[in-house]
Each structure stands twice: as structure tokens, then as C-alpha cells.
Amino acid sequence: MDLNVVEPFTRSMAKMVPAVFVFGDSLVDVGNNNYLTLSIAKADFPHNAEKLGLPSSPPYLSLTSASNKSNAFLGGVSFASGGARILDGTDKIFRQTIPLSKQVEYYATVYVNLIEQLGTIEAQKFFSKSLYAIVIGGNDILGFFKAGSDAHLKNTPQELVDSMTLMMTGYLKRLYNLGARKFLVAGVPAVGCCPLQRNQNKTSGDCNEESNYWSNKYNEGAKSMLQAMKTEFKDINYAFSDSYNVLLNLIQNPANYGFTEVKAACCGLGNLNAEVPCIPISQYCPNRTDHVFWDLFHPTEASVKIFIDTIFDGSQQYVSPINVRQLVAL
Ligand SMILES: *[C@@H]1O[C@H](CO)[C@@H](O)[C@H](O)[C@H]1NC(C)=O
Ligand SMILES: *[C@@H]1O[C@H](CO)[C@@H](O)[C@H](O)[C@H]1NC(C)=O
Ligand SMILES: *[C@@H]1O[C@H](CO)[C@@H](O)[C@H](O)[C@H]1NC(C)=O
């Protein structure tokens, strides 16, 4: 795995917070899916080495023995899993992922372990200074607006985003009850602009306006929910990253960032390299640093780096009410 993006982030984080606990989907999955025997959403294809996310806390499922669990838990753990959604449900595409509900329950076992190791008082201090990074929601929207999906027969998009926000509220409160005080919550990116969604319109390759609209709706709901939580629980602090507009800015102003290709994936096959995922038979673009997208729906390392820089040091336009550097310094 190429750690160019992750290592500097982890190193700087390591000095600032005792631990980073990561929850979410493939954007931050550092390998949990490799431990799921049935999962086809695995992170260990060599082609996918560039697809990286936030800090490199070790994958929870890699920690098998009691001794290495105890040590590793103290530095934080990643529970993230490719294909994961906020809403539970059978995911027919990915077949086996760790949904957010399960990720939070795994964290509950880590919580108990750390209380045993550190004692209640030290452990609560440790939790309150640690960062809880939650990067999820894109798969809920993508699944709903996928070509051929019948999800809209059962629920309206408004019902979808309302239940996403409601479930997220429950998980954040559960984490709060398990010691968490500092949250980084990433909004859903403009998923309608990923190659998979653009490929739904073969003639124009334009962004799917509908899935973008509802991604934005969810983000608005999540942002208000976080404000309400902060009012209810005065001792929490959070950074909400407007991933939607971070991505849209790259797509609309590519030259500012050295990008020349904002539509097609770097790795894949067919129209926009979006008809076949990035698997060993796929084609690579010659220069991945000029592409915004790595595969059907993952950004390239170059895009992820901009994303990380933005949530870390960005202005309130993209990360609010404070950025991650300010959050961890509290
Ligand atoms: C975890 O512990 C087992 C058994 O003690 C050991 O074989 C393994 O190398 C350890 N793994 C890590 C990542 O430290
Ligand atoms: C494809 O995009 C064009 C241009 O934005 C639009 O006019 C057309 O309705 C779209 N087709 C479909 C099937 O969405
Ligand atoms: C690849 O793209 C980047 C960004 O546009 C550019 O700076 C670099 O020179 C390119 N490399 C090659 C080998 O073309």
C-alpha cells in the first residue's frame, strides 16, 4: 500500500491526539474487508493501493490476539469497511461489508477493553481527547440512485436522507455515551459526478443532478443535526467537512490543482473507464495525478490529498464550524 497520503496525516495527527478511531466506507477502509471471506469489495487489489483515506489506524479485524489488541487499541483503530452504509440492509453488490451499526458495536468492545486497561478516569480522558472520524453516506445515495435500483418504489429520496440523518444521530449519541467528544464528520461528496453516475448518461457524461441534489440534502440535514447535538451536549466539538463542495471545486476548477481529466476514471474499462471496476484486467491512465477519479467512485490519491489538506487546515467554506487542526488542539 502506498502510504504517501496517509503517513504524513497520521504522523501529524499522532502528535496531536492520543488516538484516531475511524468509521466509514471504502474511502477510509484500510483493510477490514480483506478479513471478510465473502466480500468482493476488498481493498487489497494492487491496483487499489492509491485509494486511501484518513489516518492509518490498523484495521480492527487484523487485531486477532489479546496482546496485540490491547497495544493497538491505544493508538486507535479503523472499523471502516468498503461498501458500508449508514443504513443497514442487504447490499446485493458488495455482499459483505461491515455496516456502521456493526462498526459502532466493535468500537464498544474496544471501549470496554480500554477501560479495563487504563481505568475509568484515565480512559475517559483518553477518549475525550481522541478523534472520531466518520466518513460514510455515499453508498446509501449511490445505492438508491443506481441504474435499475427499485429503492425508489419503497421510499422517497426525502425519506432516505431523513433516515440517514436519524440513524447517524443515534450512532453519534452512542459514541458520545462511549466517551467520544471530538468528531470529524465528512459530508457525502457530489456522488452524482463520479464516473459510475456520469456513465448513466452516455451521450453527455454529465453529472447525475438528482443524486447530487439528494447528497446535498443529506449534508444539510447532517449539518443541522450536528449543530443541534452541540447545543444538547455542550462538551462535544466537531468539524463537518463539506466534501460535496470540495469535490465540486476540483471538478469546476481543475487547472488550479493540476487536473486535466474530471470525468473519466483513471483505472477501469469502457466509456469513461466506468463500465468495469478497477480490477487486474483494467486499463490505467498514463498519469494518475491529472485525474480526479481513480475508479468508478473513488478519488485519486491526488484528490484525496487535497481533501485531507482541506479538512485539516481549510476555511469555513469547506470545513465548519472549525477545521480538524483546531478541533484536535482543543
Ligand atoms: C498479534 O499477536 C499474534 C500472536 O501473539 C502475533 O503472531 C502477531 O504477529 C501479532 N500481530 C501484530 C500486528 O502485531
Ligand atoms: C443527458 O444529459 C443531457 C445534457 O445534460 C440531458 O439533456 C439529457 O436529458 C440526459 N439524458 C438522460 C437520460 O439523463
Ligand atoms: C502528470 O500530471 C501532473 C498534473 O497535471 C503534471 O504536473 C505532471 O507533469 C504530469 N506528469 C507527466 C509525466 O506527464
Side-chain angles (χ1 to χ4, degrees), residues 131 182-183 237-239 322-330:
L131 180 69
K182 293 184 179 189
F183 298 96
N237 285 290
Y238 69 90
I322 52 177
N323 61 35
V324 171
R325 190 180 295 280
Q326 295 165 325
L327 176 67
V328 300
L330 288 172

Side-chain angles (χ1 to χ4, degrees), residues 29-101:
D29 178 5
V30 289
N32 276 311
N33 278 15
N34 299 338
Y35 294 86
L36 302 175
T37 48
L38 275 179
S39 178
I40 60 167
K42 289 191 184 197
D44 69 350
F45 282 131
H47 276 49
N48 274 339
E50 300 297 319
K51 159 201 79 55
L52 294 173
L54 289 168
S56 63
S57 303
Y60 175 76
L61 295 182
S62 72
L63 305 169
T64 47
S65 80
S67 64
N68 55 28
K69 266 186 191 165
S70 315
N71 289 330
F73 288 175
L74 283 167
V77 189
S78 174
F79 307 94
S81 166
R85 298 182 183 199
I86 297 172
L87 301 178
D88 284 351
T90 327
D91 188 323
K92 293 197 191 85
I93 291 188
F94 291 103
R95 287 163 45 195
Q96 200 184 4
T97 65
I98 309 168
L100 188 55
S101 56

Side-chain angles (χ1 to χ4, degrees), residues 119-156:
T120 308
I121 292 172
E122 279 307 308
Q124 294 301 347
K125 252 189 248 169
F126 174 87
F127 298 134
S128 70
K129 296 227 166 290
S130 295
L131 180 69
Y132 293 74
I134 305 161
V135 181
I136 198 162
N139 291 318
D140 297 83
I141 304 276
L142 280 172
F144 192 92
F145 290 103
K146 194 174 55 193
S149 161
D150 62 357
H152 58 279
L153 300 177
K154 295 174 209 136
N155 294 105
T156 64

Side-chain angles (χ1 to χ4, degrees), residues 258-260 287 289-290:
F259 293 119
T260 56
N287 186 357
T289 58
D290 63 22

Side-chain angles (χ1 to χ4, degrees), residues 201 203-204 206:
N201 190 330
T203 45
S204 71
D206 282 347

